[in-house]
Amino acid sequence: MQPALTPWPLRVLLGRAAREWETRHRIFDLPAGKMHHADPTADTTITIGGRTVATPIGPAAGPHTQLAQNIVAGWLAGARVFELKTVQVRDDLEIPRPCIDVEGVGYNVEWSQELRIAQSLEEYVKAAMALQILGGWEALRPVIGSPGPHLFDMSVGYDLAGISTPEMAGFISGLLDASAVIDSLRPEIPEPFAGFREAAFPSRIVGGVTLSTFHGCPPEEIEGIARHLMTEYDLDVVVKLNPTLLGVDAVAGILHRLGYESVVLDPDAFAADLQYERALAMIRGLRAFAVDHGRSVGIKLTNTLVVRNTRDRLPGDAMYLSGKPLHVIAITLLDRLVGDLGGLLGVGPEPGPIPVSFSAGIDRDNVTAAVALGMVPVTMCTALLKPGGYGNLSGMLNVLARDMHEGGCPSVGDLVRLRDEAARQAGHRDAVAAYAAGLGGEAGARRYSLAAATPKLRQVDRTLETWDCVSCNLCVTVCPNDAMLHLATPEGVGMTEKWQYFCLVEWCNDCGNCTTFCPEWGDPSRVKPRLFLDRVAFVADGGPGYLLVGVDGELTMEVREPAAPDDPDRLAAFLGGDDGIPMRAGDLVG
Ligand SMILES: Cc1cc2nc3c(=O)[nH]c(=O)nc-3n(C[C@H](O)[C@H](O)[C@H](O)COP(=O)(O)O)c2cc1C
Ligand code: SF4
Ligand code: SF4
């Protein structure tokens, strides 16, 4: 079976970035206006495991950290910490489609990577090289300034047997010393970046590792994997915990208070998962083990919440909840853990030795609050699947810088101190307790209620067609893989709208997110012209589409089953020119 996604070679990827920037000041559809330029008066740097990163936020493991262009888009928008998509030994799983439904609350039925293990390794190395190249590219300097350091965090799952296989051992070792992959990619670096072919790319691609634990994973297994990663690879480990840890009654209570009566919990899943008291023992035990081995262990709150599939949108009996309600659940869990683990957890102005990383319903309205608790890093998935996509990251960083200014806080450390002092003066144990209490109050209920989580989407009663549509651009921003491309409509092709939309099929895994947000009736990834760059993928797909090829320095195409007889002529009008498909013919040869 062909994997659902086909990564582009580094040559093609960077060639497109250069062309897109030179002709329209975008890279992977992220416009210059959405790129992050550090505010010199707000120091957003934080330290993770002794490594400094320039901003405290980034994408959590998921669709935004799987393909190289996703990581580049996130970085351009200001992400500096990347929890890479979880890689596990079973790399031929067929993920049911559609797999994402984030119309309101987030739901998904994805799990691990959708690439072969070796492809995931190469994708992460490619991304690391692309960031270094673009960070050093003079043309971008006026817009992104000096981007500062970033960090990749490997994510692996789901059992010790799988993680110990030669395939997974090769993957982990490959991220710790990627010199062979880097050297194989060097000759592929195209103009105008050829000067980077001899650059010193760091051979280590990741800082530490986050262990993604699947629902039902026994505590002994989690402990075994964490110890294995510390001793075999000298890695600092973060254990990503499931929200079931809070217990079925507490989670049901929160959902009920916030009005999520439609969310149906599965008590058996709670019973099968790690139990709270056992988790406390596990965290303390792993901490002692880490100290003995000169390593650190952290926790991440939280992974998604398993619930019954009652919505009829995604396939299967179970689905995984993320977004707004998860924020309240995860903060409530954090508050309880801080209470029970005393000064061990790495929150507040005098953080304990167990760092706390976060991913649960982060958005513009709560990003400052989460960063101000001292959690490192603060990551997100659902917010980046909503309109605005990767651009939402730069919006969040603007909000963070604004809040730091307003609080008179030149650094993140100052912000953490300010919020902690305010919380204690108001009679709370600390800022975590104060924030949890706020979420438990009326304002919290309003802000995180079902009504607040389900905005009414715009709907236009019109069937989506190949050409011309509302041109809202939502399919472009909500696609985590940048698989929807928009191009200015050329003159004289008989179309009325300013923009036309195309699907880059190798990057589309039929996740369904563009269909959710498209205001017209139809699936943009299927209705809009489907473009291929890879002949193998074109042949394997077998359906209607256009294979782009470079012939004698010109971009041209092969056509299969056009929806209408004049579609190939119309598409041909988009091939050349400064507003055309941002690919360079020379990169597509070979
Ligand atoms: C579509 C999707 C795919 C995800 N894939 C993974 C994964 O591969 N590994 C993992 O540890 N977590 C995965 N997650 C969980 C996220 O990393 C994150 O912990 C969770 O969604 C909560 O954050 P959010 O509310 O900001 O989405 C996924 C989440 C979504 C929505
Ligand atoms: S084009 Fe649509 S279906 Fe395809 S990956 Fe992007 S959002 Fe998902
Ligand atoms: S295809 Fe749909 S989502 Fe995309 S621009 Fe057109 S109307 Fe908007």
Side-chain angles (χ1 to χ4, degrees), residues 2 41-42 79 131 141 157 173 211 229 263 321 337 369 425 557:
Q2 173 94 353
T41 61
L131 298 197
R141 195 48 58 107
S173 307
L211 168 60
L229 293 166
V263 174
L321 173 148
L337 287 169
Q425 275 168 15
M557 63 186 180

Side-chain angles (χ1 to χ4, degrees), residues 182-197:
I182 292 170
D183 286 340
S184 72
L185 291 171
R186 282 180 193 281
E188 281 213 33
I189 299 174
E191 293 293 349
F193 310 110
F196 289 90
R197 282 187 197 141

Side-chain angles (χ1 to χ4, degrees), residues 107 243-244 246-256 260-270 305-310 317-319 321 325-326 329:
Y107 294 108
T244 44
L246 195 55
V248 68
D249 293 339
V251 171
I254 291 171
L255 293 174
H256 179 76
Y260 294 92
E261 307 295 354
S262 51
V263 174
V264 181
L265 298 176
D266 176 359
D268 292 343
F270 280 78
L305 173 70
V306 60
V307 298
R308 295 229 164 95
N309 186 351
T310 49
D317 298 331
M319 54 186 185
L321 173 148
L326 192 65
I329 294 169

Side-chain angles (χ1 to χ4, degrees), residues 239-312:
V239 179
K240 193 167 183 178
L241 297 168
N242 291 324
T244 44
L245 199 53
L246 195 55
V248 68
D249 293 339
V251 171
I254 291 171
L255 293 174
H256 179 76
R257 182 171 66 80
L258 298 175
Y260 294 92
E261 307 295 354
S262 51
V263 174
V264 181
L265 298 176
D266 176 359
D268 292 343
F270 280 78
D273 248 355
L274 178 64
Q275 301 297 304
Y276 186 78
E277 292 302 327
R278 181 66 180 88
L280 294 182
M282 184 187 85
I283 294 167
R284 288 196 182 99
L286 283 176
R287 161 75 189 150
F289 185 87
V291 169
D292 284 350
H293 292 80
R295 302 260 50 101
S296 101
V297 70
I299 58 170
K300 179 157 191 167
L301 302 178
T302 64
N303 213 320
T304 42
L305 173 70
V306 60
V307 298
R308 295 229 164 95
N309 186 351
T310 49
R311 271 173 64 79
D312 237 13

Side-chain angles (χ1 to χ4, degrees), residues 175-536:
L175 286 177
L176 296 176
D177 179 2
S179 1
V181 183
I182 292 170
D183 286 340
S184 72
L185 291 171
R186 282 180 193 281
E188 281 213 33
I189 299 174
E191 293 293 349
F193 310 110
F196 289 90
R197 282 187 197 141
E198 301 307 320
F201 293 101
S203 58
R204 183 172 173 136
I205 301 297
V206 293
V209 58
T210 296
L211 168 60
S212 190
T213 59
F214 214 56
H215 285 280
C217 186
E220 299 74 29
E221 188 79 15
I222 302 174
E223 289 163 337
I225 304 172
R227 290 192 194 120
H228 172 78
L229 293 166
M230 285 188 239
T231 52
E232 282 294 307
Y233 301 100
D234 286 336
L235 279 163
D236 291 339
V237 176
V238 172
V239 179
K240 193 167 183 178
L241 297 168
N242 291 324
T244 44
L245 199 53
L246 195 55
V248 68
D249 293 339
V251 171
I254 291 171
L255 293 174
H256 179 76
R257 182 171 66 80
L258 298 175
Y260 294 92
E261 307 295 354
S262 51
V263 174
V264 181
L265 298 176
D266 176 359
D268 292 343
F270 280 78
D273 248 355
L274 178 64
Q275 301 297 304
Y276 186 78
E277 292 302 327
R278 181 66 180 88
L280 294 182
M282 184 187 85
I283 294 167
R284 288 196 182 99
L286 283 176
R287 161 75 189 150
F289 185 87
V291 169
D292 284 350
H293 292 80
R295 302 260 50 101
S296 101
V297 70
I299 58 170
K300 179 157 191 167
L301 302 178
T302 64
N303 213 320
T304 42
L305 173 70
V306 60
V307 298
R308 295 229 164 95
N309 186 351
T310 49
R311 271 173 64 79
D312 237 13
R313 290 270 186 105
L314 303 177
D317 298 331
M319 54 186 185
Y320 298 94
L321 173 148
S322 59
K324 272 194 199 310
L326 192 65
H327 188 75
V328 182
I329 294 169
I331 291 291
T332 309
L333 177 59
L334 173 68
D335 182 35
R336 192 168 167 203
L337 287 169
V338 172
D340 287 331
L341 287 169
L344 273 185
L345 291 191
V347 289
E350 284 164 29
I354 300 180
V356 179
S357 151
F358 195 77
S359 64
I362 289 296
D363 58 26
R364 274 171 84 100
D365 294 333
N366 60 29
V367 66
T368 304
V371 170
L373 297 181
M375 298 187 289
V376 290
V378 169
T379 62
M380 69 222 61
C381 189
T382 306
L384 306 184
L385 291 165
K386 301 269 188 182
Y390 291 98
N392 292 331
L393 284 158
S394 57
M396 288 184 209
L397 287 167
N398 291 341
V399 167
L400 177 62
R402 181 203 66 197
D403 292 345
M404 287 169 69
H405 282 143
E406 284 178 7
C409 302
S411 72
V412 171
D414 294 318
L415 180 70
V416 174
R417 266 186 295 280
L418 179 82
R419 296 282 169 108
D420 188 71
E421 272 166 31
R424 286 173 199 274
Q425 275 168 15
H428 294 283
R429 181 196 66 216
D430 54 21
V432 172
Y435 186 48
L439 292 181
E442 254 179 50
R446 264 197 312 279
R447 162 92 181 75
Y448 290 92
S449 66
L450 176 65
T454 34
K456 203 160 163 32
L457 296 186
R458 193 157 68 110
Q459 195 62 54
V460 178
D461 195 10
R462 197 163 88 178
T463 301
L464 191 67
E465 292 184 358
T466 313
W467 309 107
D468 286 336
C469 58
V470 173
S471 296
C472 60
N473 213 42
L474 287 174
C475 53
V476 175
T477 65
V478 302
C479 177
N481 298 329
D482 188 31
M484 291 301 296
L485 180 70
H486 73 296
L487 298 174
T489 309
E491 304 247 318
V493 285
M495 299 170 199
T496 50
E497 298 295 334
K498 188 170 173 217
W499 300 103
Q500 302 300 327
Y501 292 81
F502 304 84
C503 178
L504 298 165
V505 183
E506 284 102 9
W507 286 355
C508 173
N509 60 359
D510 292 312
C511 75
N513 207 31
C514 53
T515 307
T516 298
F517 288 97
C518 179
E520 299 196 16
W521 301 112
D523 172 352
S525 72
R526 293 275 158 187
V527 175
K528 296 296 179 185
R530 287 166 64 77
L531 311 182
F532 294 79
L533 307 187
D534 181 271
R535 186 171 295 278
V536 175

